[in-house]
Amino acid sequence: MLTTLLPALRDLELPLRLRLWDGKEIDIGPTPSVTLEIRDPDLLSKLTNPSLALLGGAYVEGKVDLHGPLEEVIRIGDEITRALGEGHAAVPVRESHDKATDAEAISYHYDLSNAFYQLWLDRDMVYSCGYFETGTEDLDQAQQAKLRHLCRKLRLKPGDRLLDVGCGWGGLARFAAREYGAQVFGITLSREQLKLGRERVAAEGLEDQVRLELMDYRDLPTDGQFDKVVSVGMFEHVGHANMPLYCKQLSEVVRPGGLVLNHGITSRYIDGRPVAHGAGEFIDRYVFPHGELPHLVKIGACISESGLEIVDVESLRLHYARTLQFWSERLEARLDEARQMVPERALRIWRVYLAGCAYGFRRNWINLHQILASKPLPDGSHELPWSRADVYR
Ligand SMILES: C[S@@+](CC[C@H](N)C(=O)[O-])C[C@H]1O[C@@H](n2cnc3c(N)ncnc32)[C@H](O)[C@@H]1O
């Protein structure tokens, strides 16, 4: 098998060294910066037709070990896959989503360990794309700027009733209450998030303003009681099939004249098929089971069909690449501590996922869009100012 694989790899001139199960080392190019240690001989035959799902899966299952900077490992894995991989056409995923399946998928990812997430997220544990106003900010600054950006787009003011759909550990809810005087109701499907989220609300003495609950978006009261609705990094879990229902919920929970802001990852492809070369397959199998990404035009269509009027759209793709780069570097710097918090298998999954997604956003495999929509008043007017100038003041 090596006789087929080695010439093909050598043609790519990658700074890669192979270390075989018997200790033998083969340099693929000059001055290798990355060593791929193949521990399972059966893997060799599969490497003649690799995919990112195969490589990532082999690492997670301990069939290979990776040595060298993770960013470089991912780049080399992508180059090998693109050059040698074939027959990995990505097919659009259309899974059915019910409450029980979604709750299980959410628990798998978000109930992993609060301590682990605390290790590499910012101080407010915001688990979504940051906002870099100049590109020189650190992670804490970028996440605070993102929370402010969201609140400004929502034109949040004291006393506003804000619903945060998929509130995570409550960072935005506390920010909106503390900085803008809003009354916030946040929902999550993760028990661990809820526990720590509530502790943090109490620690800040914000119980009168912030209520966090374990609730599915499908169970929200649809009586238009909220002035503003925000959903950040949540709709990736909804699924194509339920997207119209999700948008209908957003439209029905907000009062006429109110605003809805949806912030989330969007597909590069109109049909929402996963990223090529097996990256999407890896994410679905190991990271976000049942996650599905719609294209901007699809979520846009659903929002419009729900009766909301889209008033502003912003892409933050490179902001997410940078955020993920921070998360990945912060985790890489604290691997020994992380090993005390989660099983080795989970650590391997999260390492590949964070570095891989940073790479994917940088390469334009996926995007991130903030979509601001207004629920028109009966006469068709809305409550927004004439320009966006106030967002940047
Ligand atoms: C990536 S986290 C984002 C958390 C938070 N918005 C932030 O930016 O830090 C996704 C959140 O969506 C929530 N979520 C996912 N599916 C949900 C559902 N069906 N109903 C309610 N919340 C859900 C998860 O529990 C989690 O809190």
Side-chain angles (χ1 to χ4, degrees):
M1 202 47 67
L2 272 175
T3 48
T4 326
L5 185 62
L6 286 182
L9 283 179
R10 285 209 167 101
D11 281 349
L12 302 178
E13 296 181 12
L14 296 169
L16 174 67
R17 172 174 295 153
L18 295 185
R19 184 179 301 145
L20 303 186
W21 50 94
D22 57 5
K24 187 177 170 198
E25 292 193 343
I26 306 162
D27 285 1
I28 299 301
T31 57
S33 56
V34 165
T35 299
L36 184 67
E37 185 178 344
I38 301 175
R39 305 169 71 115
D40 178 355
D42 289 344
L43 195 66
L44 215 51
S45 60
K46 297 189 184 128
L47 283 180
T48 53
N49 181 16
S51 73
L52 289 172
L54 174 84
L55 294 173
Y59 174 63
V60 169
E61 308 299 346
K63 294 177 180 173
V64 298
D65 264 325
L66 305 169
H67 308 278
L70 202 47
E71 208 180 331
E72 188 67 347
V73 169
I74 302 281
R75 182 186 72 79
I76 289 177
D78 178 39
E79 295 221 5
I80 293 176
T81 302
R82 275 188 292 134
L84 309 186
E86 52 189 54
H88 298 295
V91 195
V93 182
R94 292 284 184 277
E95 295 188 21
S96 65
H97 285 251
D98 57 44
K99 287 184 201 169
T101 322
D102 289 349
E104 199 182 319
I106 295 306
S107 178
Y108 166 79
H109 188 99
Y110 299 97
D111 289 339
L112 178 65
S113 155
N114 281 338
F116 175 67
Y117 283 111
Q118 246 166 319
L119 206 57
W120 46 272
L121 290 176
D122 66 300
R123 63 166 192 261
D124 267 334
M125 298 183 76
V126 181
Y127 195 18
S128 48
C129 168
Y131 182 57
F132 296 84
E133 283 169 326
T134 65
T136 56
E137 294 82 358
D138 65 22
L139 183 63
D140 279 322
Q141 290 167 332
Q143 290 298 9
Q144 294 299 300
K146 191 272 289 302
L147 300 181
R148 200 172 309 113
H149 199 45
L150 291 168
C151 292
R152 283 183 175 170
K153 282 188 174 183
L154 285 165
R155 274 74 182 187
L156 216 55
K157 54 183 191 317
D160 268 357
R161 293 155 303 170
L162 172 70
L163 168 66
D164 185 358
V165 186
C167 63
W169 288 274
L172 173 59
R174 285 183 290 110
F175 185 90
R178 188 199 320 122
E179 308 287 328
Y180 287 82
Q183 292 290 328
V184 193
F185 180 52
I187 62 165
T188 171
L189 278 186
S190 158
R191 289 177 192 281
E192 286 299 304
Q193 286 186 331
L194 184 70
K195 198 163 111 242
L196 183 55
R198 282 180 171 171
E199 279 171 26
R200 288 188 167 203
V201 169
E204 278 200 54
L206 290 169
E207 296 104 316
D208 289 346
Q209 279 177 269
V210 179
R211 205 178 115 211
L212 305 181
E213 294 293 342
L214 199 72
M215 186 187 283
D216 189 287
Y217 73 92
R218 284 156 284 204
D219 295 328
L220 282 164
T222 51
D223 54 2
Q225 63 176 271
F226 294 99
D227 300 297
K228 314 281 163 69
V229 178
V230 67
S231 174
V232 184
M234 180 271 165
F235 96 126
E236 297 87 328
H237 297 289
V238 168
H240 298 288
N242 284 351
M243 208 52 73
L245 171 67
Y246 166 74
C247 292
K248 187 166 165 285
Q249 287 291 99
L250 297 185
S251 171
E252 290 182 358
V253 292
V254 74
R255 67 162 170 83
L259 293 172
V260 174
L261 206 170
N262 192 79
H263 162 127
I265 305 172
T266 46
S267 170
R268 173 175 173 165
Y269 304 110
I270 299 280
D271 65 4
R273 66 186 182 277
V275 231
H277 309 303
E281 198 183 319
F282 177 84
I283 296 287
D284 185 58
R285 192 179 310 157
Y286 293 107
V287 186
F288 291 114
H290 309 293
E292 293 172 41
L293 304 180
H295 189 274
L296 176 63
V297 302
K298 296 286 180 177
I299 174 70
C302 285
I303 290 176
S304 301
E305 285 297 325
S306 76
L308 295 169
E309 177 196 7
I310 295 175
V311 291
D312 206 351
V313 178
E314 182 177 18
S315 161
L316 295 177
R317 177 171 67 81
L318 293 177
H319 296 245
Y320 215 170
R322 201 171 184 84
T323 306
L324 279 149
Q325 186 69 31
F326 268 116
W327 290 344
S328 174
E329 284 170 7
R330 288 160 67 95
L331 175 57
E332 291 305 301
R334 302 183 75 175
L335 288 177
D336 288 342
E337 287 163 85
R339 280 198 178 90
Q340 313 302 313
M341 295 165 181
V342 295
E344 178 65 24
R345 186 175 190 276
L347 183 57
R348 287 180 173 231
I349 293 172
W350 262 252
R351 288 183 71 193
V352 172
Y353 135 62
L354 294 177
C357 285
Y359 183 85
F361 275 100
R362 240 184 346 259
R363 300 296 294 253
N364 194 22
W365 291 355
I366 37 182
N367 208 322
L368 182 127
H369 285 101
Q370 290 187 340
I371 305 175
L372 181 67
S374 160
K375 183 161 173 177
L377 289 158
D379 66 357
S381 63
H382 56 58
E383 297 178 356
L384 283 161
W386 283 100
S387 85
R388 294 175 179 142
D390 61 323
V391 172
Y392 300 99
R393 245 171 241 142

